[in-house]
Amino acid sequence: MTLTVGHRHHAELLPHVDELRLLADSILDIDAGQLQERLGRQLRFVDEQLVPHMEMAEANLYPELDRLLEDPRAMAPMRREHAAMLRLLDELRQLHARLSGVPLSVPDELVLRRILYRLFAIMRVHLAEEERYLAIIDRNASEPEVKALVEGMQHVGAVSL
Protein backbone atom coordinates (compact mmCIF):
# COMPACT_ATOMS: atom_id res chain seq x y z
CA MET A 1 0.00 0.00 0.00
CA THR A 2 1.34 3.45 -0.85
CA LEU A 3 0.49 6.98 0.20
CA THR A 4 -1.02 7.86 -3.17
CA VAL A 5 -3.25 10.43 -1.46
CA GLY A 6 -0.14 12.35 -0.36
CA HIS A 7 1.54 12.11 -3.74
CA ARG A 8 -1.64 13.21 -5.53
CA HIS A 9 -2.16 16.09 -3.11
CA HIS A 10 1.37 17.34 -3.74
CA ALA A 11 0.70 17.28 -7.49
CA GLU A 12 -2.44 19.36 -6.87
CA LEU A 13 -0.55 21.88 -4.72
CA LEU A 14 2.22 22.55 -7.26
CA PRO A 15 0.18 24.76 -9.64
CA HIS A 16 -0.68 27.01 -6.68
CA VAL A 17 2.94 27.14 -5.63
CA ASP A 18 3.95 28.02 -9.20
CA GLU A 19 1.30 30.77 -9.21
CA LEU A 20 3.29 32.53 -6.46
CA ARG A 21 6.23 32.94 -8.84
CA LEU A 22 3.99 33.92 -11.75
CA LEU A 23 2.29 36.53 -9.60
CA ALA A 24 5.62 37.94 -8.45
CA ASP A 25 6.76 38.11 -12.08
CA SER A 26 3.62 39.99 -13.17
CA ILE A 27 3.28 42.55 -10.37
CA LEU A 28 4.03 45.51 -12.66
CA ASP A 29 1.89 44.15 -15.51
CA ILE A 30 -1.44 44.03 -13.67
CA ASP A 31 -3.55 46.71 -12.06
CA ALA A 32 -4.12 47.05 -8.32
CA GLY A 33 -7.53 45.35 -8.48
CA GLN A 34 -6.18 42.32 -10.31
CA LEU A 35 -3.29 42.10 -7.90
CA GLN A 36 -5.63 42.24 -4.92
CA GLU A 37 -7.87 39.56 -6.41
CA ARG A 38 -4.98 37.21 -7.23
CA LEU A 39 -3.44 37.69 -3.79
CA GLY A 40 -6.84 36.98 -2.25
CA ARG A 41 -7.12 33.78 -4.27
CA GLN A 42 -3.67 32.70 -3.11
CA LEU A 43 -4.54 33.43 0.52
CA ARG A 44 -7.75 31.38 0.20
CA PHE A 45 -5.65 28.51 -1.15
CA VAL A 46 -3.30 28.90 1.82
CA ASP A 47 -6.12 28.85 4.37
CA GLU A 48 -8.15 26.08 2.73
CA GLN A 49 -5.41 23.77 1.45
CA LEU A 50 -1.86 24.62 2.43
CA VAL A 51 -2.23 25.20 6.17
CA PRO A 52 -4.39 22.06 6.61
CA HIS A 53 -1.76 20.13 4.62
CA MET A 54 1.01 21.38 6.93
CA GLU A 55 -1.06 20.57 10.02
CA MET A 56 -1.78 17.09 8.69
CA ALA A 57 1.89 16.48 7.94
CA GLU A 58 2.97 17.59 11.41
CA ALA A 59 0.25 15.58 13.16
CA ASN A 60 0.45 12.37 11.10
CA LEU A 61 3.40 12.05 8.74
CA TYR A 62 6.23 13.63 10.69
CA PRO A 63 5.81 11.55 13.87
CA GLU A 64 5.77 8.39 11.73
CA LEU A 65 8.90 9.54 9.91
CA ASP A 66 10.62 10.39 13.21
CA ARG A 67 9.86 6.79 14.26
CA LEU A 68 10.97 5.20 10.99
CA LEU A 69 14.16 7.25 10.90
CA GLU A 70 14.77 6.44 14.57
CA ASP A 71 15.36 10.06 15.49
CA PRO A 72 12.79 12.19 17.33
CA ARG A 73 14.28 15.28 15.66
CA ALA A 74 14.48 13.90 12.11
CA MET A 75 11.67 16.10 10.88
CA ALA A 76 12.73 19.26 12.76
CA PRO A 77 14.02 20.94 9.57
CA MET A 78 10.66 20.37 7.87
CA ARG A 79 8.85 21.79 10.89
CA ARG A 80 11.13 24.85 10.77
CA GLU A 81 10.26 25.31 7.09
CA HIS A 82 6.57 25.23 8.03
CA ALA A 83 7.23 27.94 10.60
CA ALA A 84 9.11 30.04 8.03
CA MET A 85 6.24 29.66 5.56
CA LEU A 86 3.70 30.69 8.19
CA ARG A 87 5.73 33.82 9.02
CA LEU A 88 5.89 34.77 5.32
CA LEU A 89 2.17 34.08 4.96
CA ASP A 90 1.44 36.39 7.87
CA GLU A 91 3.49 39.10 6.15
CA LEU A 92 1.55 38.48 2.93
CA ARG A 93 -1.80 38.73 4.73
CA GLN A 94 -0.78 42.02 6.36
CA LEU A 95 0.41 43.48 3.07
CA HIS A 96 -2.72 42.30 1.27
CA ALA A 97 -4.93 43.96 3.88
CA ARG A 98 -2.94 47.18 3.74
CA LEU A 99 -2.97 47.43 -0.05
CA SER A 100 -6.77 47.23 -0.46
CA GLY A 101 -6.60 47.86 -4.20
CA VAL A 102 -4.35 50.93 -4.05
CA PRO A 103 -1.41 51.13 -6.46
CA LEU A 104 1.81 49.61 -5.16
CA SER A 105 4.57 51.86 -3.97
CA VAL A 106 8.10 50.80 -4.89
CA PRO A 107 8.85 49.63 -1.31
CA ASP A 108 5.60 47.60 -1.24
CA GLU A 109 6.43 46.09 -4.63
CA LEU A 110 9.83 44.99 -3.36
CA VAL A 111 8.37 43.54 -0.16
CA LEU A 112 5.64 41.71 -2.08
CA ARG A 113 8.11 40.23 -4.56
CA ARG A 114 10.40 39.13 -1.70
CA ILE A 115 7.53 37.38 0.07
CA LEU A 116 6.19 35.68 -3.06
CA TYR A 117 9.58 34.50 -4.33
CA ARG A 118 10.62 33.21 -0.90
CA LEU A 119 7.33 31.37 -0.44
CA PHE A 120 7.68 29.87 -3.91
CA ALA A 121 11.25 28.70 -3.26
CA ILE A 122 10.58 27.25 0.18
CA MET A 123 7.36 25.52 -0.91
CA ARG A 124 8.87 24.00 -4.07
CA VAL A 125 11.81 22.53 -2.20
CA HIS A 126 9.65 21.52 0.76
CA LEU A 127 7.15 19.59 -1.38
CA ALA A 128 9.99 17.82 -3.20
CA GLU A 129 11.48 16.83 0.17
CA GLU A 130 8.11 15.58 1.39
CA GLU A 131 7.88 13.40 -1.72
CA ARG A 132 11.17 11.79 -0.69
CA TYR A 133 9.82 11.23 2.81
CA LEU A 134 6.59 9.72 1.46
CA ALA A 135 8.76 7.23 -0.42
CA ILE A 136 10.43 6.27 2.88
CA ILE A 137 7.02 5.60 4.39
CA ASP A 138 5.93 3.66 1.31
CA ARG A 139 9.01 1.40 1.60
CA ASN A 140 9.15 0.97 5.37
CA ALA A 141 5.75 1.32 7.01
CA SER A 142 3.42 -1.62 7.41
CA GLU A 143 0.11 -1.75 5.60
CA PRO A 144 -1.87 -0.88 8.78
CA GLU A 145 0.48 2.06 9.45
CA VAL A 146 0.06 3.36 5.90
CA LYS A 147 -3.71 2.89 6.14
CA ALA A 148 -3.78 4.95 9.35
CA LEU A 149 -1.72 7.69 7.67
CA VAL A 150 -4.05 7.71 4.66
CA GLU A 151 -7.02 8.12 7.01
CA GLY A 152 -5.19 11.00 8.71
CA MET A 153 -4.79 12.68 5.33
CA GLN A 154 -8.48 12.71 4.49
CA HIS A 155 -8.61 16.52 4.87
CA VAL A 156 -7.33 16.55 1.31
CA GLY A 157 -10.04 17.83 -0.95
CA ALA A 158 -10.18 19.16 -4.44
CA VAL A 159 -7.68 21.93 -4.94
CA SER A 160 -8.91 24.73 -7.16
CA LEU A 161 -7.24 27.79 -8.60
Side-chain angles (χ1 to χ4, degrees), residues 41-59:
R41 205 168 43 214
Q42 284 302 104
L43 289 169
R44 280 190 301 282
F45 153 71
V46 164
D47 292 336
E48 295 170 8
Q49 294 294 324
L50 186 64
V51 171
H53 172 84
M54 291 190 304
E55 290 169 347
M56 176 279 309
E58 290 203 23

Side-chain angles (χ1 to χ4, degrees), residues 2-19 45 49-58 60-62 65 75 78 81-82 85 120 122-138 149 153 155-161:
T2 63
L3 282 172
T4 55
V5 172
H7 297 291
R8 186 177 61 245
H9 189 55
H10 283 171
E12 293 171 346
L13 291 174
L14 286 174
H16 292 277
V17 173
D18 290 341
E19 174 63 18
F45 153 71
Q49 294 294 324
L50 186 64
V51 171
H53 172 84
M54 291 190 304
E55 290 169 347
M56 176 279 309
E58 290 203 23
N60 296 295
L61 291 178
Y62 294 179
L65 284 160
M75 301 310 294
M78 298 294 278
E81 287 176 0
H82 281 176
M85 284 186 262
F120 166 75
I122 293 171
M123 287 180 186
R124 259 316 201 155
V125 171
H126 188 85
L127 289 173
E129 288 174 13
E130 276 190 354
E131 282 295 313
R132 302 287 300 217
Y133 286 121
L134 289 175
I136 290 170
I137 289 174
D138 288 343
L149 288 171
M153 295 172 67
H155 83 280
V156 177
V159 178
S160 61
L161 284 172

Side-chain angles (χ1 to χ4, degrees), residues 49-156:
Q49 294 294 324
L50 186 64
V51 171
H53 172 84
M54 291 190 304
E55 290 169 347
M56 176 279 309
E58 290 203 23
N60 296 295
L61 291 178
Y62 294 179
E64 180 64 10
L65 284 160
D66 285 339
R67 184 188 70 77
L68 288 172
L69 296 169
E70 299 177 355
D71 182 350
R73 297 170 314 279
M75 301 310 294
M78 298 294 278
R79 289 180 177 100
R80 284 192 300 272
E81 287 176 0
H82 281 176
M85 284 186 262
L86 290 172
R87 283 190 302 274
L88 287 166
L89 291 166
D90 283 342
E91 286 183 56
L92 185 59
R93 277 188 192 89
Q94 291 170 18
L95 185 58
H96 179 254
R98 192 167 46 79
L99 292 176
S100 302
V102 299
L104 279 177
S105 66
V106 172
D108 285 340
E109 174 200 337
L110 295 172
V111 168
L112 181 56
R113 281 181 194 271
R114 177 190 57 81
I115 293 168
L116 293 172
Y117 284 132
R118 283 184 182 177
L119 277 171
F120 166 75
I122 293 171
M123 287 180 186
R124 259 316 201 155
V125 171
H126 188 85
L127 289 173
E129 288 174 13
E130 276 190 354
E131 282 295 313
R132 302 287 300 217
Y133 286 121
L134 289 175
I136 290 170
I137 289 174
D138 288 343
R139 285 192 308 273
N140 296 295
S142 69
E143 189 167 326
E145 290 165 337
V146 172
K147 186 176 180 182
L149 288 171
V150 169
E151 289 172 7
M153 295 172 67
Q154 293 308 310
H155 83 280
V156 177

